[in-house]
Amino acid sequence: MEETEDSSSNISDLAPLSHGSNSVQLRHYNERVVLEALRRLSTASKAELARIARLTPPAIAAIVDSLVSNGLVEARGKRFGGKGQPSAMFGINPAGAFTIGLHIGRRSLEGVLLNFGGETLHFEQADHEFPDPDEVRDRGNKIVQTLRGHLGDQANRLIGLGISAPYFLSSWEAELGAKSGVSGRWRDVDLRSHFREAGGLPVFVENDASAAAAAELVFGVGKYLKDFVHLSVNTMIGGGLVMDGVLQTGPNGNAAAYGPMPVTASRLRSTPPNEGPFEILLHRASIYVLMRHLAASGSTVTRVRHLDPMPDDARIPFAEWQNDCAGALAQAVVSTISVIDVEAIVIDGLLPRALMRDTVDMVRAELRQVMPVGVVAPQILDGSIGPRASAIGAAILPLVMLFAPDSAILTRKGTDKKAMMIGSKG
């Protein structure tokens, strides 16, 4: 007897899973459903997995045994104390697979080595004033080589390289102070083939803000939510949209871009005069705006991580920007829920954790002041991943594409099309 007692796992708190099928032709799909269930629950018995995936006990037993044999799932002992015999427990094997993620940011290049359980094993970072394609290629190859080297004799378990980057690296020269012509060189770069150290690995490319949302969905508070928007307060504001537990990127890969969203004019004295009928969120809720305001106020801070601990010369200008940013984000939340009905807005970004939490608290307070009649206020939640969300999200891309129970995997055509769409915006 596998198990007769009710599951003690808090299954009801999780966003809905895809359901499995007992059809032999859908064996691989069912394996992915089981892997997702284990990823969300941490540990589960075969009986629990059968109930979650709605599969027969013999089908689940065969799938779990196969996953254990392939090294993707491991036995986690037995659970005692319920009715009937002790339940054999299973969980994701952290050493079952590894991925590398590269995040090409506007101020730095980041690399992470992730295991199958979602743990960041190693992190590499190289700062730059603006990403030059050649420098990014050279530094990125070195980072990938370094991260591969950490795997040693487990390098054969490396399953893919994920890359996250802003889709419009060829834009915003004026905002970021890029050298003339450098940003335009990104127009001819295909990120799928940019890094030779990928060495034949599958390469997946996604927008940086969408990648951050994927990280929150898979490993953060997002796994408890069905529909939410993830806002990344990074060098430039960005967003990701999750509906029905699935990251939505849109036909052009630019869903929930958020930067161009109209808001009222900034109150900061360092902000250039607005020439249009409205301001855009990018010009109020981005870290580059904070850095510009700090410089204009005489602060010596040049990187956002230098705000922890807060230097004396940054306290007042930071508070000014924070108030302005929170007001703009509250307006963006109202615009969002006027169009789509979501449970929550998750806010995260580059700010040190305590400052990020304070900013989210201020957004909650601002939202109470501007909340209109006729819509339901969403939860405003702190993100749980932090400044590395885009890099971790990049590393998640191979896991999602190769192991998530997306309906596109049921046909070869669907899989090929999805992979092509992910890489098409690089």
Side-chain angles (χ1 to χ4, degrees):
M1 182 182 297
E2 185 62 36
E3 180 186 16
T4 58
E5 82 273 19
D6 290 337
S7 167
S8 62
S9 302
N10 199 12
I11 297 172
S12 62
D13 288 343
L14 297 172
L17 285 166
S18 303
H19 297 308
S21 169
N22 287 309
S23 170
V24 175
Q25 292 86 348
L26 301 182
R27 172 65 175 269
H28 292 303
Y29 176 78
N30 292 336
E31 288 178 346
R32 296 180 183 214
V33 170
V34 169
L35 286 171
E36 184 177 7
L38 288 174
R39 193 173 298 283
R40 293 181 173 207
L41 294 173
S42 182
T43 58
S45 68
K46 290 179 180 178
E48 290 171 333
L49 293 171
R51 287 198 294 270
I52 295 168
R54 298 183 183 179
L55 295 171
T56 64
I60 279 291
I63 289 170
V64 171
D65 291 346
S66 175
L67 291 172
V68 170
S69 177
N70 291 331
L72 298 176
V73 168
E74 63 181 5
R76 296 277 182 87
K78 294 186 178 182
R79 185 171 62 209
F80 296 86
K83 299 178 181 178
Q85 298 181 8
S87 300
M89 306 300 289
F90 299 88
I92 294 291
N93 178 10
F98 302 90
T99 67
I100 291 175
L102 279 181
H103 169 51
I104 305 171
R106 295 174 175 89
R107 295 301 188 200
S108 65
L109 177 65
E110 300 173 341
V112 297
L113 176 63
L114 213 67
N115 68 18
F116 201 46
E119 179 186 5
T120 297
L121 302 179
H122 296 280
F123 177 79
E124 299 284 332
Q125 180 172 312
D127 291 342
H128 48 235
E129 290 305 314
F130 188 85
D132 175 90
D134 294 337
E135 291 181 3
V136 165
R137 181 191 60 230
D138 294 342
R139 290 179 176 178
N141 280 319
K142 289 179 180 178
I143 287 175
V144 172
Q145 185 179 40
T146 298
L147 294 176
R148 269 180 181 253
H150 285 296
L151 289 175
D153 58 5
Q154 293 181 305
N156 63 330
R157 287 276 179 174
L158 186 61
I159 62 171
L161 171 65
I163 301 171
S164 63
Y167 277 166
F168 300 104
L169 275 170
S170 58
S171 304
W172 313 112
E173 280 188 349
E175 284 82 356
L176 296 177
K179 294 180 181 179
S180 178
V182 173
S183 61
R185 292 168 53 205
W186 282 103
R187 295 190 183 97
D188 299 322
V189 172
D190 180 2
L191 288 177
R192 291 168 296 184
S193 59
H194 201 54
F195 301 99
R196 66 178 181 275
E197 287 298 330
L201 291 172
V203 178
F204 306 96
V205 181
E206 187 53 88
N207 172 272
D208 58 341
S210 292
E216 197 68 59
L217 172 63
V218 177
F219 295 128
V221 298
K223 67 183 178 182
Y224 301 102
L225 301 169
K226 185 177 180 182
D227 306 296
F228 69 94
V229 165
H230 185 273
L231 293 178
S232 298
V233 184
N234 292 336
T235 303
M236 290 188 169
I237 185 77
L241 173 64
V242 172
M243 298 296 290
D244 200 24
V246 177
L247 180 67
Q248 305 292 333
T249 56
N252 299 306
N254 207 36
Y258 272 89
M261 180 172 284
V263 293
T264 58
S266 173
R267 300 184 296 270
L268 297 180
R269 61 186 180 280
S270 60
T271 300
N274 181 38
E275 298 179 357
F278 51 79
E279 189 56 272
I280 60 174
L281 188 64
L282 179 77
H283 293 163
R284 287 189 60 184
S286 299
I287 295 299
Y288 92 89
V289 178
L290 167 61
M291 303 313 294
R292 182 181 63 196
H293 189 60
L294 289 171
S297 303
S299 173
T300 57
V301 172
T302 58
R303 296 279 177 177
V304 69
R305 58 179 176 268
H306 298 158
L307 293 172
D308 183 21
M310 179 72 70
D312 290 339
D313 64 6
R315 293 184 185 279
I316 293 177
F318 175 80
E320 292 171 342
W321 170 84
Q322 189 180 40
N323 276 284
D324 199 66
C325 173
L329 288 174
Q331 294 176 37
V333 171
V334 171
S335 296
T336 298
I337 61 177
S338 298
V339 178
I340 52 175
D341 190 12
V342 293
E343 299 173 73
I345 306 292
V346 182
I347 305 176
D348 209 344
L350 295 179
L351 290 174
R353 179 54 55 191
L355 298 179
M356 195 74 250
R357 290 197 184 103
D358 287 345
T359 303
V360 174
D361 284 341
M362 293 175 67
V363 174
R364 293 190 188 101
E366 289 280 349
L367 184 61
R368 288 193 290 269
Q369 300 298 318
V370 299
M371 197 59 200
V373 177
V375 290
V376 178
Q379 300 179 72
I380 306 297
L381 302 177
D382 296 290
S384 60
I385 308 298
R388 298 181 183 178
S390 292
I392 293 172
I396 285 173
L397 295 178
L399 294 179
V400 170
M401 291 304 300
L402 300 175
F403 293 105
D406 189 292
S407 59
I409 73 169
L410 298 181
T411 64
R412 185 179 300 276
K413 180 179 178 181
T415 303
D416 291 345
K417 181 179 179 182
K418 182 94 178 275
M420 181 174 64
M421 288 173 62
I422 284 181
S424 64
K425 293 297 288 182

